[in-house]
Each structure stands twice: as C-alpha cells, then as structure tokens.
Amino acid sequence: MLLTIRKQLRSHPALIPLFFFIGGGAAMSLMYLARLGLRNPDVSWDRKNNPEPWNKLSPNYQYKFFTVNMDYSKLKKDRPDF
Amino acid sequence: MAETMDEKIKNYRTAPFDARFPNTNQTRNCFQNYLDFHRCNKALSTKGQDVAPCQWYQRVYKSLCPMGWVAKWDEQIENGSFPGKI
C-alpha cells in the first residue's frame, strides 16, 4: 500500500503537504488523548496498587494549559493525619 | 497563612481551590473530602488525639456535596455497605 502511495505522490507532489498536515493533526489529537488518559488528575488506572493517584500531587500542581486568574503558589490545607 | 486549624475552621467561608481537581466536574472533590473526613476521624481516634481538625473536611464536603448524596452515604456507612475505603 505504501508503494502505491509513493507512486501517486511522485506524479502529484502537491499532495505532500496534505500528508504533513493531516498526520500532524492526528498526532496532536492522539497526544492530547494520551495526556488526558495518563496525566489527568481525575483518572486512576490501577485501583489495587495505586488508588487515588491525585493525592500524590503537590498543591501547586498545574494541569491546565491556560489559567486566567489563578496564582499557583498556594499551600495545602490540613493533611497531618494518616 | 500560618493560621492554626481552629482559626481556619472559624474563618471558613467556602471550599478553597483544590489543585487536585481543577476541572468543572467536582464530584471527586466532594467524595474525596467525605472519605478524608471519615479517615481522619478513624485515624485520629485510634491514635487517641482530638478529632477537631477533621472538621475542616466536613465543612468542605458539606459545601460541595449535594445533601442527597451525603444522606445516602451516611446511611450506607450505618448499614456497612459504603463502597469507599475508609
């Protein structure tokens, strides 16, 4: 299949940017989904060995890309038990 | 912000921003504070210390959680059928 694509590209070289843009877009969406699945503080993959992974984050941890009114130098409230 | 826990509880207005739960969906925030309140009570009372600091968690979950959920969970705890780990 790649051979066919290569032959067609050689006769229509203007299609190459198309591959770049579509490939780039697909890569960006997959990366965002991976980030959401792995880094989002709301998810927990392994409930037996690592339940509640969000409790291991520091109180300054910023997950969002843009925060408009938030100054992330706060401190934690009341954890000194368990 | 070196207030003691008592002062913080006395000056409590509403649940503060929690970096662990930055999104609009605060369900987990509510549940986590509910769990933390009960875990704190359990941990401090087994150690024999005063459970007053745990009031913070109770204030926060009362601010965040719908009353129906709190009532349901309290009932489940009394029955022994509460699904969370305390």
Side-chain angles (χ1 to χ4, degrees):
Chain A
M1 188 184 79
L2 280 175
L3 204 52
T4 326
I5 295 183
R6 200 173 276 280
K7 268 200 299 210
Q8 291 172 343
L9 269 190
R10 231 169 280 165
S11 42
H12 301 91
L15 289 178
I16 295 183
L18 182 72
F19 280 88
F20 277 126
F21 285 116
I22 295 202
M28 287 202 295
S29 346
L30 291 177
M31 282 200 308
Y32 182 69
L33 284 180
R35 176 179 190 255
L36 211 50
L38 297 170
R39 295 273 170 260
N40 188 351
D42 273 332
V43 308
S44 165
W45 285 98
D46 187 0
R47 267 195 287 175
K48 212 183 301 186
N49 298 333
N50 187 16
E52 308 182 3
W54 51 85
N55 278 335
K56 305 201 176 111
L57 303 172
S58 84
N60 289 338
Y61 177 66
Q62 177 175 348
Y63 174 73
K64 297 189 160 187
F65 288 134
F66 293 116
T67 56
V68 187
N69 273 336
M70 199 70 230
D71 177 17
Y72 270 81
S73 38
K74 306 274 183 276
L75 53 77
K76 211 160 217 189
K77 308 268 188 218
D78 186 23
R79 288 272 136 176
D81 37 330
F82 27 70
Chain B
M1 290 230 261
E3 312 171 330
T4 65
M5 209 57 231
D6 287 335
E7 285 173 9
K8 279 203 272 212
I9 293 181
K10 206 160 49 122
N11 297 333
Y12 181 84
R13 305 308 295 271
T14 187
F17 173 75
D18 197 337
R20 297 174 296 166
F21 312 104
N23 296 317
T24 306
N25 186 350
Q26 293 287 298
T27 317
R28 194 149 250 147
N29 194 353
C30 148
F31 192 59
Q32 190 62 46
N33 281 111
Y34 185 83
L35 287 178
D36 285 342
F37 173 63
H38 288 285
R39 289 176 186 168
C40 174
N41 277 345
K42 186 167 164 203
L44 289 186
S45 53
T46 53
K47 284 196 234 171
Q49 297 169 7
D50 178 27
V51 293
C54 303
Q55 282 302 311
W56 174 264
Y57 294 119
Q58 181 167 53
R59 301 294 290 271
V60 175
Y61 86 68
K62 279 201 174 352
S63 307
L64 291 169
C65 303
M67 296 190 306
W69 291 5
V70 177
K72 182 177 72 178
W73 292 334
D74 288 340
E75 201 183 298
Q76 284 179 334
I77 287 193
E78 278 171 43
N79 288 344
S81 65
F82 185 66
K85 185 161 113 46
I86 292 196

